[in-house]
Amino acid sequence: MNKFINGNLLKMNTEEFLSNIKKAFNEVFSNGNIEKINLMSYLSEKKWLGIKKCGLLLPFLPEKFGGRKNSQFEIQEVLRIAGSYGVPITLRTGIEGALVLQPLLEYGNEEQIEKGLEMIFNGEGGGLAITEPETSGSAIAKEMQSYYEYVDENTVHVKADKYWQGNSQSDFLLIAAKEKKEGKLSKIISLILVPREYITYDVLNSEGLKAVRYAVNHVDAEIPARYIIKLSESKANCLREFQNIFIRSRLQLVGMTHGIMEYIVKNIKKYSKSDIPFVKGELDEIETIYGVSKIMYDYTCDNVDPEKSVSDKLMEANIIKSLATEYTYNAAKTAQKLLGAKGFEAGHPMSNVAIDFRPFTIFEGPNDMLYAEIYDHFSKATAVEKKEGIRINKNSTIYERFISDRRFENISVNNIVNKVDDLISFLKHHTLNEMDQIKKVFVGKILARLFLLIQTESDNLIKFLIRDIRKDILDFEYNS
Ligand SMILES: Cc1cc2nc3c(=O)[nH]c(=O)nc-3n(C[C@H](O)[C@H](O)[C@H](O)COP(=O)(O)OP(=O)(O)OC[C@H]3O[C@@H](n4cnc5c(N)ncnc54)[C@H](O)[C@@H]3O)c2cc1C
């Protein structure tokens, strides 16, 4: 399988390997600036392939497929390093690594994997096609209309309309579709490896991220049935596996956001007027957000393993995804403001950060939906609790559930929560059964920040997180 991989890249230790990746980026992007390439309009495929040949995606490829030794740290680091060169760079890395390569390796058969790897490591790679123009992305598993139908045992007819795929126009798309049987859409969702020749597309004129190439993609063709990648044979497991793809990628996404935070911190220092005390205060807050981002980055490095299932980490994945993107977006907006008019000049290294980053708060699950889901997962028994016969009493207070939930206890490094009187009184005052859809979003935000709060001992980060929790409590009360 590893005919397309330079063996030397596998022999390097982590430090050598990562510095080799940095070197490859520096040659194309001149040490963290983007002046050698205008990412606001394009990224040359030849240059991108050159960086991939230096091993950019190898940490996503397990040893048994000819990749690097199992290391979550290396996965997070390549995303982080890419992010420190700009938003589109890390997004392309994340799409090809986490949304295409990992699902392909997890669910594909040998022939599908071989074909996919060839296109990823020797070609333009691919994208993951889930969202559709006519249905809600938030409710995609339920509403998805794209389908495949067996014409005979070797052929399927695929009818799919998908929009906003990163890496559109590249070698292939992994298209999510439902199986159609006897004229009806079933609940079986599969991925289909659809090579470029079967896809027509209309280029999407996006506001930013031009280098990631977005399009509305259409397939209406008969294709070989061997391209169907079954997530599972059973209906119920199919949905679970579909969700699992996003759990891993949401947990890993913090590699991208942390790198982008570095890009923001590094560049804003060069361009802002830090002698004005208010500006200095805002710069300090960006540094604090960087500290918060580091808590999440470390969480993924320490608690996720590329070879182990993450199906038990849905709540944690939603926390990491929503908070990492919310905070990075806030930092990007502040940074842009601090540049004054320069922040509006096309071609300035900082001018596109906020606009390029905004969709991170929408894709892979819009944040507000994820906050509501965090509350739902918190208020239900976990798989372990169910096995132990534990049931969650819906009349319990948020506080009672919080102290019984081991997902909050296991990672605890401090006991600060009990010292914040107004927070404790809020948690004790509200019960699980009183939450409507709006309140769930705000309690989800509070729980997400609590999850970070108990992982830090830094006074500065504690103060910052408690301030934000207090704002969430005000929002909750305002909406009650
Ligand atoms: C730059 C970019 C890149 C993308 N990349 C890809 C890709 O590579 N592949 C792909 O298939 N798709 C991709 N998408 C599509 C993306 O995944 C969807 O846009 C996303 O899932 C949201 O779906 P929607 O646009 O239909 O919004 P909707 O589902 O209509 O939601 C709209 C808004 O309603 C609110 N909302 C929805 N549900 C809830 C809830 N339960 N609680 C509270 N508020 C809620 C949120 O504010 C949300 O933003 C991309 C989109 C963008 C903009």
Side-chain angles (χ1 to χ4, degrees):
M1 286 254 178
N2 59 9
K3 56 185 186 247
F4 30 72
I5 289 158
N6 170 356
N8 288 336
L9 294 168
L10 303 176
K11 288 186 207 131
M12 292 175 179
N13 64 31
T14 293
E15 211 186 323
E16 289 162 345
F17 174 73
L18 295 173
S19 76
N20 188 55
I21 301 272
K22 269 189 221 151
K23 198 167 135 252
F25 274 117
N26 279 346
E27 274 161 20
V28 177
F29 299 106
S30 76
N31 200 16
N33 292 322
I34 54 172
E35 62 256 24
K36 275 197 192 170
I37 274 188
N38 185 0
L39 284 168
M40 279 120 199
S41 49
Y42 92 112
L43 172 62
S44 136
E45 285 308 315
K46 203 164 149 238
K47 292 204 161 82
W48 185 243
L49 185 60
I51 296 175
K52 289 203 287 188
K53 293 265 181 210
C54 291
L56 181 65
L57 300 176
L58 275 188
F60 294 94
L61 188 68
E63 219 176 358
K64 64 177 177 218
F65 293 108
R68 299 267 307 162
K69 276 207 176 69
N70 173 22
S71 162
Q72 191 64 40
F73 177 68
E74 285 192 5
I75 291 180
Q76 297 312 123
E77 281 289 281
V78 288
L79 291 168
R80 182 190 64 76
I81 293 168
S84 70
Y85 290 88
V87 184
I89 316 291
T90 192
L91 186 52
R92 286 207 63 172
T93 312
I95 293 169
E96 290 199 53
L99 293 182
V100 177
L101 193 46
Q102 285 179 329
L104 176 72
L105 297 173
E106 185 151 359
Y107 302 106
N109 62 30
E110 204 176 313
E111 187 193 344
Q112 293 159 345
I113 291 174
E114 176 120 29
K115 188 170 172 64
L117 291 190
E118 173 66 33
M119 294 190 277
I120 295 167
F121 284 92
N122 277 346
E124 294 187 1
L128 178 66
I130 307 279
T131 316
E132 302 180 346
E134 302 298 332
T135 50
S136 160
S138 321
I140 191 72
K142 212 163 78 195
E143 296 184 5
M144 186 187 295
Q145 293 301 308
S146 297
Y147 67 83
Y148 62 96
E149 192 169 22
Y150 279 85
V151 178
D152 57 46
E153 64 179 35
N154 296 318
T155 318
V156 284
H157 178 229
V158 178
K159 173 82 179 77
D161 296 297
K162 298 284 181 180
Y163 90 149
W164 275 110
Q165 279 63 57
N167 283 4
S168 289
Q169 308 161 46
S170 55
D171 288 329
F172 69 100
L173 288 174
L174 285 185
I175 293 189
K178 287 180 176 164
E179 186 168 343
K180 195 173 191 179
K181 281 181 182 166
E182 292 154 10
K184 276 195 191 146
L185 288 189
S186 75
K187 286 190 176 153
I188 296 187
I189 299 180
S190 299
L191 294 177
I192 314 170
L193 192 160
V194 183
R196 192 199 319 243
E197 67 254 34
Y198 297 103
I199 304 171
T200 56
Y201 61 84
D202 305 305
V203 172
L204 259 170
N205 188 13
S206 60
E207 286 291 355
L209 293 173
K210 303 282 185 199
V212 187
R213 296 183 311 185
Y214 288 97
V216 186
N217 292 287
H218 311 280
V219 182
D220 189 356
E222 292 193 355
I223 73 166
R226 63 176 192 281
Y227 290 154
I228 306 277
I229 301 175
K230 292 239 151 96
L231 297 175
S232 164
E233 295 298 332
S234 93
K235 262 193 262 172
N237 288 348
C238 243
L239 276 179
R240 199 169 311 134
E241 294 304 334
F242 186 62
Q243 191 172 50
N244 282 350
I245 296 174
F246 297 107
I247 300 181
R248 192 176 293 284
S249 77
R250 283 173 194 163
L251 286 162
Q252 291 175 164
L253 186 137
V254 65
M256 299 193 219
T257 57
H258 198 54
I260 295 162
M261 277 307 303
E262 269 177 35
Y263 181 88
I264 293 172
V265 170
K266 177 174 62 188
N267 278 298
I268 195 64
K269 277 192 190 145
K270 276 192 220 158
Y271 299 109
S272 59
K273 295 177 175 139
S274 55
D275 52 334
I276 302 171
F278 184 80
V279 173
K280 171 81 176 54
E282 300 257 282
L283 290 173
D284 289 346
E285 182 145 329
I286 290 178
E287 292 271 2
T288 305
I289 295 178
Y290 178 78
V292 173
S293 171
K294 181 81 169 57
I295 303 175
M296 295 183 266
Y297 185 81
D298 291 345
Y299 174 84
T300 296
C301 290
D302 297 342
N303 293 280
V304 180
D305 183 320
E307 307 252 306
K308 284 200 189 129
S309 162
V310 286
S311 57
D312 61 333
K313 290 199 166 47
L314 180 53
M315 185 189 83
E316 294 87 333
N318 289 353
I319 290 176
I320 300 289
K321 190 279 173 179
S322 48
L323 279 189
T325 56
E326 178 190 311
Y327 278 127
T328 306
Y329 186 44
N330 287 348
K333 282 189 294 185
T334 306
Q336 207 134 22
K337 176 189 72 177
L338 296 181
L339 291 174
K342 279 207 170 40
F344 201 60
E345 275 172 25
H348 189 285
M350 291 294 282
S351 65
N352 262 48
V353 177
I355 195 136
D356 278 354
F357 192 76
R358 182 160 68 88
F360 279 66
T361 64
I362 300 166
F363 59 55
E364 296 234 13
N367 284 3
D368 291 341
M369 178 189 88
L370 296 183
Y371 286 125
E373 280 185 12
I374 289 164
Y375 174 78
D376 285 334
H377 302 305
F378 166 79
S379 61
K380 284 185 200 137
T382 62
V384 176
E385 285 171 332
K386 276 186 200 153
K387 250 193 215 152
E388 292 169 352
I390 297 173
R391 296 180 61 187
I392 308 301
N393 178 353
K394 296 288 175 188
N395 291 320
S396 18
T397 62
I398 308 177
Y399 183 76
E400 284 163 335
R401 174 61 185 142
F402 174 69
I403 52 171
S404 75
D405 188 336
R406 274 167 275 172
R407 289 169 297 187
F408 287 87
E409 175 196 59
N410 286 344
I411 46 158
S412 173
V413 297
N414 75 42
N415 192 20
I416 189 73
V417 179
N418 282 318
K419 294 180 194 136
V420 189
D421 291 344
D422 51 342
L423 171 57
I424 290 299
S425 120
F426 173 83
L427 299 177
K428 286 186 174 169
H429 191 72
H430 295 283
T431 54
L432 298 180
N433 58 11
E434 69 175 88
M435 300 305 155
D436 58 23
Q437 206 272 331
I438 300 176
K439 287 180 186 164
K440 279 181 185 181
V441 176
F442 294 113
V443 180
K445 288 185 182 199
I446 294 168
L447 293 167
R449 288 188 232 283
L450 277 173
F451 185 79
L452 304 194
L453 184 62
I454 58 178
Q455 292 179 68
T456 181
E457 282 173 330
S458 147
D459 288 343
N460 191 28
L461 299 188
I462 289 171
K463 198 170 144 206
F464 175 83
L465 288 166
I466 290 177
R467 181 202 65 179
D468 281 358
I469 291 174
R470 288 189 171 128
K471 285 187 190 170
D472 296 330
I473 292 177
L474 283 177
D475 282 337
F476 176 98
E477 284 164 355
Y478 181 78
N479 285 284
S480 290

